[in-house]
Amino acid sequence: MSTYQYETKSAEETMSFAEKLGSILQKGDVLTLAGDLGAGKTTFTKGLAKGLGVTRTVNSPTFTIIKEYSGRLPLYHMDVYRLENSDEDLGFEEYFSGDGVCVVEWAVFIEDYLPEERLELVISHKGDDEREIQLKPIGSRYEERVKEIM
């Protein structure tokens, strides 16, 4: 399992990189997104949504847990932080095996529900506007997608 790194110098570059990734994602793809508060998880997801053809404004689903957006493929944006220490299953399996793309923030809290193959991303601060994005593909389909955008 390889880990890849990509650095961006602005929020726009982060969104552009995510848009490029979003443009090649396919039905059933699952991405986990980790990073400190303010690291750029929502900024990344906005770019990803643009690459999927989503035209609606994307914002954090912190209080709703799952937000759905229509585009070339549906985007299911999940923030499962509030599920820490909870056994609540919100039908994750249906989303993960569905007809869209899933982005899961704070995935560590639902690890038992995650598909075995997925793309794990970690966004870290490198400076005021600079970010490092680590991509860890788990499974050959994700390895191919990462190689395509790097």
Side-chain angles (χ1 to χ4, degrees):
M1 219 173 350
S2 302
T3 299
Y4 301 83
Q5 294 182 343
Y6 189 86
E7 291 189 12
T8 62
K9 303 221 179 295
S10 66
E12 292 78 19
E13 279 188 25
T14 299
M15 286 181 65
S16 178
F17 178 72
E19 181 179 354
K20 188 175 174 182
L21 176 59
S23 72
I24 64 167
L25 292 177
Q26 298 176 14
K27 170 182 164 179
D29 281 345
V30 176
L31 289 71
T32 64
L33 202 50
D36 293 334
L37 291 173
K41 295 182 297 292
T42 300
T43 298
F44 185 90
T45 304
K46 286 179 181 184
L48 196 78
K50 189 173 180 185
L52 286 167
V54 172
T55 56
R56 222 172 92 207
T57 301
V58 172
N59 49 39
S60 180
T62 302
F63 297 104
T64 56
I65 300 175
I66 301 172
K67 286 193 174 180
E68 299 182 19
Y69 301 93
S70 296
R72 171 178 63 81
L73 294 170
L75 171 63
Y76 307 118
H77 185 195
M78 305 173 187
D79 182 333
V80 297
Y81 181 80
R82 294 180 56 214
L83 297 181
E84 181 180 19
N85 300 322
S86 171
D87 290 332
E88 189 174 357
D89 177 5
L90 300 174
F92 296 117
E93 177 69 28
E94 292 172 27
Y95 285 102
F96 297 149
S97 62
D99 60 352
V101 171
C102 295
V103 175
V104 185
E105 296 184 31
W106 300 99
V108 66
F109 296 132
I110 62 162
E111 199 137 16
D112 292 343
Y113 298 104
L114 292 173
E116 193 172 301
E117 294 191 3
R118 59 189 180 266
L119 176 58
E120 296 181 347
L121 298 108
V122 178
I123 302 176
S124 307
H125 290 274
K126 294 293 283 183
D128 288 340
D129 295 321
E130 298 173 12
R131 300 291 184 269
E132 178 182 270
I133 303 168
Q134 292 184 355
L135 301 96
K136 182 178 174 185
I138 303 173
S140 60
R141 81 190 220 182
Y142 296 105
E143 186 81 35
E144 290 172 19
R145 284 178 183 62
V146 170
K147 285 180 179 178
E148 188 174 337
I149 63 166
M150 294 302 281

